[in-house]
Amino acid sequence: MSDVFQFLTLPRRDGTKTGAEIRRVQFKEIYAQMDADQAREQSGRCLACGNPYCEWKCPVHNYIPNWLKLVDEGRLFEAAELSHQTNSLPEVCGRVCPQDRLCEGDCTLNQGGFGAVTIGGIEKYITETAFAQGWRPDLSKVVATGRKIAIIGAGPAGLGCADVLARNGVKAVVYDRYPEIGGLLTFGIPEFKMEKDVMTRRREIFTGMGIEFRLNTEIGRDITMQQLMDDHDAVFMGMGTYTYMQAGIPGEDLPGVMPALPFLVSNINQRLGLPQDAAGFVDMKGLRVVVLGGGDTAMDCNRTSIRQDAASVTCAYRRDEANMPGSRREVANAREEGVQFLWNRQPVEIVGGDGKGGGKVEGIKLVTTELGAPDARGRRTPVVVAGSEEAIACDRVIVAFGFRPNPQPWFGDFGITTDPGGRVVTKGNRHSYQTANPKIFAGGDMVRGSDLVVTAVWEGREAAKGMLEFLGIW
Ligand code: FAD
Ligand code: SF4
């Protein structure tokens, strides 16, 4: 071990704990519950290394070392103020960001193998504790501009946009077809990852900042885009991606095969006592479930099935564990809860309908893969190993292969252009995240493709800055 790394084993500035001692407790307990002592202990581990890689790797470029220092000094409200300067939903990102491949992955302590400062846990702690102690964003010095912007979608992108607009004196009116704000945070991500009252509280806080929400209102059905254009100075679209990617294999239409989101949403509706759609509540109790995919959505399906008392949950992914797109933390959680992972497995057929299962799924055929040459994006392509086919028995198959954009039929009427993948094009225009129609901006998943909460927040915030320039306010 080099001298530098020996030094890092004593990361706490006042020397109360070594990195190894802290590492033992940091993974589970601190994410679950962080108290003031733990927050200060972790914050005090920050080396304040002049080149904050964590800050660069964080998509919203949070001032991480600065708010860690404030927490270490017990200056909680200042930390909350600072954290809100760059992030519109810090308590959410602290919960759901894949920190292991973002801020914490690039923490110098982590690079040295001593366990990162638990940045996400502290970010959550700051906002949660400050809110509990009565802190609220202070907009008392904001001067109203008299301008008004419509936002379609109350997901992370729309909320990030509304936050920046409100802080700059612009009236933000947010429309969403759902009865609560949050987008996939509310109607997608399960409550064991993010408690649903977090968004209810956020709605109240944003409302207190002057943001107006018009929920249960779908643009294109309840209100036309033309009405929004007529009534507002500009429009931001943060409408997400809602076309399910399919496996494209025989048997995908069998009863018992389902896309991930309806399964997760039916579980959320059940938990919240909201009405179900025509398909009703999807219950995995006592069933053998196979989940296809390796992203966060797949992990949520795994862990939801476990919580519904499935007889077994098997997750098959076509690359190896090191190359899976989801958060390492979520895989560890799923594994610990009893999910069995089959890495390097690709589905080739879903079987059923021979009479025994009443026409339903009875099993799935998989082949083994090995990683071949990198594709255009640098990811190694899975190659099928000849003669490796295997079949496993199951009662339900959940396809969690991600989402593609769903361009709206009215886009063309307003000159909004999309790329061949259906993503709204915003590059090449004068202002950040401006579409081909100068009065319409867009961001989040519908622009970059399905990604993360924090990247959607960033794009919404950046689009708001573009809109402020467009309106001549900046
Ligand atoms: P969305 O969150 O999809 O919000 C779009 C909003 O627009 C929705 O509320 C929708 O109702 C509304 N809308 C759409 N069309 C209209 C219309 N015509 N009129 C009115 N309203 C409309 N990311 C992470 O960082 N960490 C995770 O752990 C994580 N887990 C995930 C788990 C699941 C199951 C899924 C599906 C995604 C997960 N993600 C995770 C990804 C993350 O949720 C998304 O990247 C993020 O929510 C995108 O934000 P957005 O604002 O672009 O879109
Ligand atoms: Fe880390 Fe996400 Fe917070 Fe940035 S927003 S500091 S990446 S948890």
Side-chain angles (χ1 to χ4, degrees), residues 4 25 36 65 84 101 104 108 138 160 185 187 202 218 225 243 276 306-307 319 332 367 386 394 416 442 473:
V4 172
V25 292
H84 278 78
R101 57 188 166 95
E104 294 178 17
T108 304
D138 177 13
L185 290 169
F187 297 100
R202 249 308 153 186
E218 181 170 333
M225 181 67 166
T243 306
Q276 296 285 1
I306 290 274
R307 279 161 179 73
R319 291 188 170 88
V367 286
C394 62
I416 300 164
I473 295 168

Side-chain angles (χ1 to χ4, degrees), residues 67-105:
W67 44 248
L68 290 176
K69 186 164 184 289
L70 290 170
V71 171
D72 195 29
E73 292 169 359
R75 295 157 66 187
L76 184 70
F77 283 11
E78 289 167 77
E81 193 62 55
L82 188 61
S83 119
H84 278 78
Q85 280 182 23
T86 49
N87 194 350
S88 306
L89 300 171
E91 76 283 24
V92 173
C93 293
R95 283 171 166 87
V96 303
C97 268
Q99 288 98 4
D100 46 12
R101 57 188 166 95
L102 297 176
C103 53
E104 294 178 17

